Amino acid sequence: MLRHKYYYGEHPSQWGELFIPEPTSGNHRGASALAGGIAVVIHGGYWRSQYGAELGEPLARDLAAHGITTWNLEYRRAGNGGGWPHTFEDILAGIDHLSEIAEQHDLKLGKVVALGHSAGGHLAVWAAGRQRLATIGTPDADRQLVRGPEETAVHLTGVVSQSGLLNLAAAERLNLSNGAVCNLMGGDSARFPKRHKYADPMSSLPIDVPVYAVHATEDEDVPASLSEAYVAASTASGGAAQLLRVPGDHFDLIDPKAVAYKKCRELVQRLLS
């Protein structure tokens, strides 16, 4: 496969790596077009700096091996210049950067699907609701987040969340990973209620982007109740989220050899078909 690394900002963590399927008939553009769009891999790690895009690389390689052009996205995390609002800015800017490199690689941006694991699932589903961010009643938080204009944005057309933290308020109440939510947001929701509301995918419902909330049955890192709550709220509001349970633990979801991951790949293919 062909690999190209691009920076979308000046910080060392503001980059993505494009994985393009093997050329077919001597023309890699044909392979790119065959996939029908782009998959954006967003890694997890509870938004902390010690976990990086190396977690997403095996998934990007696998997707490219199955004919899908894939953008493995790195971003600033809490501890290396990220957290509120920069982690969120990077996710949007990193996805939007696909438009900057689209012509060079003949990328098809009509369908852009995110595959996000754990904290990456939270960020992917949050990004899918970007068009509603200015309307959820948190204007101060909205002003704090710098992003490009919506008319030139690259919008996600589907999300596969892999045991994602889709209910940020519940994740804070449960004190998951020793205060990871407060660490991300720069403080708790009592101190920054608007900020927390803005960052919670639950706040943007309903969205018309299809979301597959995949959760591992033996997951001991992220409770299934977070995916369940998101899908229930989406259904109640007329959204397009579905809950799927797969065998395995939290990390089987990012193991290309595991049944749990293979189901996620199948869902990405379905969203891009």
Side-chain angles (χ1 to χ4, degrees):
M1 66 190 66
L2 304 176
R3 299 173 61 167
H4 303 271
K5 185 175 182 178
Y6 295 98
Y7 282 85
Y8 59 87
E10 297 181 356
H11 191 277
S13 290
Q14 292 177 308
W15 58 268
E17 189 171 15
L18 192 68
F19 289 72
I20 301 176
E22 283 293 336
T24 56
S25 302
N27 178 8
H28 78 265
R29 293 189 171 205
S32 177
L34 180 65
I38 309 294
V40 180
V41 172
I42 305 177
H43 71 82
Y46 273 109
W47 310 283
R48 292 191 171 104
S49 59
Q50 58 262 49
Y51 306 101
E54 68 278 356
L55 292 174
E57 181 172 336
L59 283 62
R61 292 175 63 89
D62 177 80
L63 291 170
H66 285 81
I68 300 171
T69 300
T70 304
W71 180 235
N72 187 30
L73 183 59
E74 186 58 287
Y75 53 93
R76 289 173 288 179
R77 287 89 68 207
N80 76 333
W84 174 264
H86 301 308
T87 293
F88 299 88
E89 292 174 345
D90 285 2
I91 294 301
L92 299 185
I95 295 171
D96 287 349
H97 194 71
L98 287 168
S99 66
E100 300 293 320
I101 61 175
E103 184 176 358
Q104 181 178 349
H105 298 289
D106 195 24
L107 303 181
K108 310 301 180 184
L109 301 182
K111 292 183 179 179
V112 181
V113 171
L115 175 65
H117 177 242
S118 194
H122 156 259
L123 294 169
V125 175
W126 175 83
R130 65 186 294 172
Q131 290 176 288
R132 291 183 51 82
L133 291 173
T135 67
I136 61 176
T138 56
D140 291 343
D142 191 50
R143 283 190 291 268
Q144 291 177 38
L145 191 143
V146 178
R147 63 186 186 277
E150 285 303 302
E151 54 268 23
T152 60
V154 174
H155 294 285
L156 295 177
T157 58
V159 177
V160 178
S161 167
Q162 302 169 293
S163 285
L165 291 118
L166 304 186
N167 184 337
L168 203 66
E172 182 193 12
R173 288 195 300 271
L174 293 168
N175 194 37
L176 297 183
S177 190
N178 299 314
V181 173
C182 294
N183 188 47
L184 169 70
M185 301 306 299
D188 62 25
S189 57
R191 182 179 180 188
F192 300 113
K194 299 297 186 181
R195 181 186 298 183
H196 276 252
K197 180 180 179 181
Y198 189 85
D200 196 333
M202 298 280 283
S203 302
S204 295
L205 289 170
I207 60 174
D208 58 6
V209 177
V211 173
Y212 289 114
V214 182
H215 220 98
T217 55
E218 305 303 319
D219 199 315
E220 296 182 354
D221 294 83
V222 177
S225 58
L226 273 63
S227 290
E228 293 166 353
Y230 179 83
V231 172
S234 174
T235 301
S237 64
Q242 298 181 49
L243 179 68
L244 294 93
R245 301 182 187 277
V246 293
D249 63 21
H250 192 66
F251 297 98
D252 284 327
L253 290 160
I254 55 173
D255 178 358
K257 297 179 181 178
V259 171
Y261 167 75
K262 290 177 181 178
K263 181 61 179 180
C264 295
R265 183 216 297 149
E266 175 189 319
L267 294 171
V268 171
Q269 291 170 321
R270 184 183 304 177
L271 289 168
L272 288 174
S273 64

